[in-house]
Amino acid sequence: MEKVAIIDERFYGRLKTRSLTVKQKALFDTMFKDVSISSGDDINEKEYKKIFLEIGFGSGEHITQLAVNTPSSLFIGCEPFINGIASLLSKIDESGISNIRIYHGDAKKLIREVPDNFFSGAFLLFPDPWPKRRHLKRRFIQERTILEVHNKLKKEGYWRMATDHEEYKNWILKLFNQEKFKEFFDLDMLGKFSRPDLDFWPKTRYEEKATNEVWYFTCIKK
């Protein structure tokens, strides 16, 4: 297995765009400390049959529905964006969900902290495409992160991705289809872009608002 060097990286992007409501502030003061984790050491994997990771959960629609559908699994959502965390806290509160944990920060840091063969699945849905050429290094999908996520998935664990940005779709295909990655992932699903069943893959707000075609990817760890 190829070893990946851990490199300090700067987070790019906004952390907050609008003020929180009174209810959201109250949830941060009360609920957040109970559902948040600050490192991989805070995850008690023995309590759940499977553990899943969502890299940037947006407003939380996808992770919320998965948690409701599969109460025996733990879902860890990574999100640096304050407003997204506030939205997910509201959904957790309204639905009485107990199997979601929130990591407020860059998912790459948490991924590097957990043991290998840890997650049964990972999700990266509608990430920022960073379309300008000088910003390509800011995209989450890079050769290094592909290897790192692979290391943390269990055998036959899956990585689901979606984008409505055609150039990012081509970027994903270009990187994953390199010969060196064929020993890591079963890429049979990589070129099948049809919309999966909603029970299998709940919609996000970003997908609802998308005006372009959406492409879906699933890679299975060998």
Side-chain angles (χ1 to χ4, degrees):
M1 179 65 64
E2 181 174 346
K3 295 299 182 180
V4 181
I6 297 178
I7 302 172
D8 289 335
E9 293 172 284
R10 175 182 174 185
F11 173 75
Y12 298 98
R14 298 169 299 172
L15 298 180
K16 184 179 179 183
T17 59
R18 61 185 183 278
S19 299
L20 302 181
T21 66
V22 173
K23 179 181 177 180
Q24 288 173 333
K25 290 179 180 178
L27 289 174
F28 264 104
D29 290 339
T30 55
M31 178 186 291
F32 183 64
K33 66 178 183 296
D34 295 325
V35 301
S36 65
I37 59 174
S38 58
S39 73
D41 293 336
D42 296 334
I43 305 170
N44 189 347
E45 58 182 308
K46 295 181 180 179
E47 291 185 5
Y48 296 91
K49 291 183 178 180
K50 296 181 179 180
I51 302 177
F52 296 88
L53 175 71
E54 182 151 355
I55 303 161
F57 53 74
S59 296
E61 297 90 357
H62 179 266
I63 194 171
T64 297
Q65 190 58 52
L66 289 180
V68 170
N69 291 347
T70 319
S72 61
S73 295
L74 178 66
F75 294 87
I76 299 171
C78 298
E79 180 62 63
F81 194 42
I82 293 292
N83 297 97
I85 292 175
S87 179
L88 179 55
L89 287 174
S90 296
K91 290 177 174 63
I92 292 173
D93 182 52
E94 292 165 4
S95 301
I97 297 170
S98 61
N99 57 328
I100 289 178
R101 299 293 179 269
I102 299 173
Y103 180 78
H104 179 206
D106 189 345
K108 292 189 289 293
K109 184 175 184 294
L110 180 65
I111 289 169
R112 291 165 184 162
E113 290 178 349
V114 301
D116 288 351
N117 308 304
F118 189 78
F119 297 114
S120 295
F123 312 96
L124 178 69
L125 308 180
F126 304 95
D128 194 324
W130 293 107
K132 294 181 180 180
R133 181 168 295 276
R134 68 177 183 272
H135 292 158
L136 295 183
K137 64 181 180 180
R138 301 183 182 186
R139 291 177 173 176
F140 184 87
I141 300 291
Q142 306 286 345
E143 290 189 8
R144 182 178 64 254
T145 49
I146 291 173
L147 289 168
E148 289 174 339
V149 171
H150 171 273
N151 291 344
K152 306 305 177 177
L153 287 173
K154 294 179 180 292
K155 185 177 181 180
E156 298 184 352
Y158 57 79
W159 189 2
R160 298 179 190 164
M161 295 163 277
T163 182
D164 63 343
H165 191 274
E166 185 170 11
E167 202 281 320
Y168 204 168
K169 179 258 293 186
N170 294 333
W171 173 270
I172 291 172
L173 290 173
K174 177 182 177 181
L175 290 182
F176 273 91
N177 278 318
Q178 293 180 83
E179 191 65 32
K180 61 184 174 182
F181 290 133
K182 292 182 179 179
E183 67 177 287
F184 297 123
F185 288 101
D186 180 353
L187 301 180
D188 287 346
M189 294 292 293
L190 192 61
K192 299 178 181 179
F193 305 132
S194 59
R195 179 64 172 87
D197 184 270
L198 286 175
D199 290 335
F200 176 75
W201 193 321
K203 281 190 175 182
T204 69
R205 181 178 301 181
Y206 293 101
E207 184 175 359
E208 295 280 4
K209 294 167 63 177
T211 56
N212 303 318
E213 182 178 1
V214 176
W215 294 277
Y216 308 88
F217 306 86
T218 299
C219 294
I220 311 296
K221 178 176 177 177
K222 290 185 176 180

